[in-house]
Amino acid sequence: MTVQIPFDNSFARLGSDFSAPVMPTPVGAPKLVAFNEPLAQSLGLTWEAGPDRGAVFAGNLVPEGADPLAQLYSGHQFGQYNPQLGDGRAILLGEVVDQGGVRRDIQLKGAGRTPYSRGGDGRAWLGPVLREYLVSEAMYRLGVPTTRALAAVTTGEPVYRERALPGAVLTRVASSHLRVGTFQIFAARGQHEALARLTEYAIARHYPDAEGPMGLLRAVRDAQAELVAAWMSFGFIHGVMNTDNCSIAGETIDYGPCAFMDVFDHHRVFSSIDRMGRYAYANQPSIAAWNMAQLATALIQLAEDPNDWVNEATEIVHGMPDRLQAEWIDRFRAKLGLRSEQEGDLELITDLLRIMSDGQADFTNTFRALLEGGARDQFVDPAAFDAWETGWRRRLEAEEEPEATMRHANPVLIPRNHRIEALIAEAVEGDFTSFHRLNDALANPFDARPAFEDLRRPPTEREVVQATFCGT
């Protein structure tokens, strides 16, 4: 074995109520496509040069100290409660404590069937693996809380969806994989002892200063408010904000039909399965609050009399919109170069978003052009922008170094949908050149670099991606 991973598996020690032991299913010809060296070093991983890394991160070789398992959870999917879900194609190898003292999960996605696969094959095909690798690492570089990608491996075996596609496995790193749905399943089953143990575990792992279940609810609410505001400031649409995809740690998790907007549209939906627009861009704050209500419903069952906690839980959940709005305004102030607070800032922000929507302006390029110049060129009819700009310039007079503020809030590059779709098509044919190039470019998304100037271009009419897919 060439890979050494310093495992310390606290979740496995919770016992069989919370997971099922399962070994990864070996694949025919694992080949390492990408490996995140800086992340590996921060986790304390060591290895010798050789082919075994591909075998380990495909699941063929299980490192010493691992305790592979599939986690149990339930969840609301598009508003409908599913009483049992669980890791159907993900296997938690174990946990490590990183160099910063933070406990991290190391999980394989696409490593074979588990007891929760519900008829699925437990596998992943190459496209979703490359998408999650790129987008999660881009989110990390943008400063958004997120799971991260440690490795991507092709399996040498086909996966059958609409057609035969190359199989792959992603190694994902997370602060944990505890979800709102992890709490829901024990509440729904009336397993209050297990729910109490889970709550104590979550507090100790993520929010040690939280006092009891309601303290946990408040901490998760605040983390989710910060997260969703960050998403929106970069034009990101998660696509499937089900409660089983809502991380207790406040990280972006489960990059399925996610996407970054090109042309700004409050109502934009990409997910092919979100036919009613439940998880559209502008709906994400209300859905985050709805998810917190489901967590509250689970946690109040830990009270001797649940009615004792109803008022406090209601106050916490009802505080979510104001909390998220405050985070959202701070984010968008920074995008306009504003650090101080003045009356009229909200109107200034919303007026710009309105004329961006009316003027079919590219979200990322417009905000960056406010810094670099030429923002009016982003609009079909620049006259509306000209009128708005006058007020904005006047507001900037009250700020010191607004350019520095804007430079750290407005990226040059995002992982645009048409670029991802094109590189996936190339990778299916065995060419990973565009994947590696885009990954390199996104490592510094706030820096304008001539070598990657072409990646700033929005899609042409023929390149526009209308729908994205879960990829399961």
Side-chain angles (χ1 to χ4, degrees):
M1 179 67 61
T2 62
V3 176
Q4 300 294 322
I5 303 177
F7 286 113
D8 177 32
N9 306 321
S10 65
F11 187 84
R13 293 193 288 269
L14 285 178
S16 59
D17 286 342
F18 303 91
S19 61
V22 59
M23 295 295 288
T25 304
V27 300
K31 183 178 180 181
L32 195 67
V33 171
F35 189 74
N36 194 331
E37 298 276 0
L39 178 57
Q41 292 176 17
S42 74
L43 296 173
L45 276 60
T46 59
W47 59 88
E48 299 173 4
D52 286 352
R53 274 189 292 173
V56 168
F57 297 114
N60 285 27
L61 295 174
V62 176
E64 182 179 352
D67 200 347
L69 57 84
Q71 292 185 331
L72 175 65
Y73 48 85
S74 62
H76 280 87
Q77 299 183 307
F78 290 88
Q80 301 299 312
Y81 185 67
N82 190 323
Q84 180 170 307
L85 297 168
D87 291 331
R89 59 176 183 138
I91 297 174
L92 178 64
L93 287 180
E95 305 155 29
V96 301
V97 177
D98 69 16
Q99 292 180 347
V102 178
R103 183 173 293 275
R104 306 283 188 187
D105 284 359
I106 300 178
Q107 182 194 72
L108 303 180
K109 290 186 67 177
R113 287 180 52 80
T114 80
Y116 311 124
S117 293
R118 294 174 294 155
D121 59 11
R123 293 300 188 187
W125 75 275
L126 183 59
V129 166
L130 297 184
R131 175 183 290 272
E132 179 158 349
Y133 194 107
L134 282 168
V135 180
S136 64
E137 284 303 294
M139 290 286 267
Y140 172 75
R141 299 298 180 181
L142 289 169
V144 180
T146 180
T147 61
R148 296 194 63 191
L150 177 60
V153 178
T154 53
T155 64
E157 298 178 346
V159 170
Y160 295 94
R161 298 297 183 256
E162 294 82 4
R163 58 189 176 94
L165 295 161
V169 178
L170 175 77
T171 304
R172 179 164 73 183
V173 174
S175 294
S176 83
H177 285 84
L178 301 180
R179 311 151 186 270
V180 170
T182 315
F183 292 78
Q184 286 182 282
I185 193 165
F186 298 111
R189 292 177 174 181
Q191 294 178 279
H192 294 167
E193 182 180 350
L195 180 61
R197 289 174 61 203
L198 177 66
T199 301
E200 292 171 0
Y201 177 81
I203 290 172
R205 182 162 179 175
H206 293 299
Y207 306 106
D209 294 332
E211 296 184 6
M214 292 298 96
L216 175 63
L217 176 61
R218 193 180 300 274
V220 175
R221 177 205 68 180
D222 292 350
Q224 282 290 321
E226 181 180 348
L227 176 65
V228 174
W231 287 354
M232 298 185 77
S233 75
F234 295 116
F236 179 76
I237 304 168
H238 183 278
V240 193
M241 290 177 66
N242 297 331
T243 57
D244 56 293
N245 295 337
C246 182
S247 165
I248 295 300
E251 292 180 332
T252 315
I253 192 170
D254 290 333
Y255 290 87
C258 64
F260 287 80
M261 282 193 292
D262 296 306
V263 171
F264 179 70
D265 179 357
H266 285 286
H267 307 294
R268 189 67 168 96
V269 175
F270 285 96
S271 173
S272 64
I273 58 176
D274 191 4
R275 297 180 180 87
M276 303 301 293
R278 177 181 175 87
Y279 301 138
Y281 173 80
N283 290 347
Q284 292 178 126
S286 61
I287 292 297
W290 193 91
N291 287 347
M292 291 303 96
Q294 310 319 307
L295 179 60
T297 300
L299 290 174
I300 62 174
Q301 295 197 25
L302 293 174
E304 289 188 16
D305 181 351
N307 291 323
D308 293 343
W309 289 358
V310 167
N311 288 340
E312 184 175 3
T314 300
E315 175 268 323
I316 293 170
V317 173
H318 285 186
M320 178 76 162
D322 287 345
R323 186 82 185 199
L324 205 153
Q325 175 83 339
E327 296 282 354
W328 183 92
I329 291 175
D330 283 349
R331 286 273 181 174
F332 276 87
R333 275 198 184 100
K335 293 179 77 66
L336 298 184
L338 311 178
R339 290 182 180 271
S340 63
E341 299 180 13
Q342 288 192 15
E343 186 177 351
D345 286 350
L346 177 59
E347 183 179 4
L348 186 69
I349 295 166
T350 55
D351 281 351
L352 175 60
L353 294 177
R354 175 181 53 78
I355 63 174
M356 285 172 63
S357 180
D358 293 344
Q360 302 177 47
D362 182 87
F363 185 87
T364 300
N365 287 351
T366 298
F367 278 105
R368 186 68 185 196
L370 292 177
L371 170 67
E372 298 177 339
R376 72 188 311 274
D377 297 337
Q378 299 293 324
F379 295 81
V380 173
D381 179 4
F385 172 78
D386 292 340
W388 176 88
E389 185 183 25
T390 299
W392 173 59
R393 294 289 181 189
R394 188 181 309 116
R395 173 66 178 84
L396 280 183
E397 294 174 1
E399 300 295 322
E400 294 183 6
E401 299 183 350
E403 293 84 3
T405 302
M406 296 171 69
R407 195 176 304 278
H408 291 93
N410 297 314
V412 175
L413 298 177
I414 55 168
R416 292 186 181 270
N417 299 327
H418 67 295
R419 298 291 181 186
I420 292 175
E421 292 298 322
L423 69 84
I424 288 173
E426 294 173 10
V428 167
E429 300 300 321
D431 183 359
F432 292 91
T433 303
S434 294
F435 165 77
H436 290 297
R437 180 172 183 256
L438 184 56
N439 193 46
D440 288 345
L442 293 170
N444 297 284
F446 295 100
D447 295 343
R449 290 177 289 170
F452 301 118
E453 185 66 22
D454 59 303
L455 299 178
R456 301 178 67 168
R457 179 181 63 79
T460 64
E461 186 175 347
R462 293 181 58 186
E463 292 173 323
V464 171
V465 176
Q466 298 294 350
T468 51
F469 301 85
C470 283
T472 54

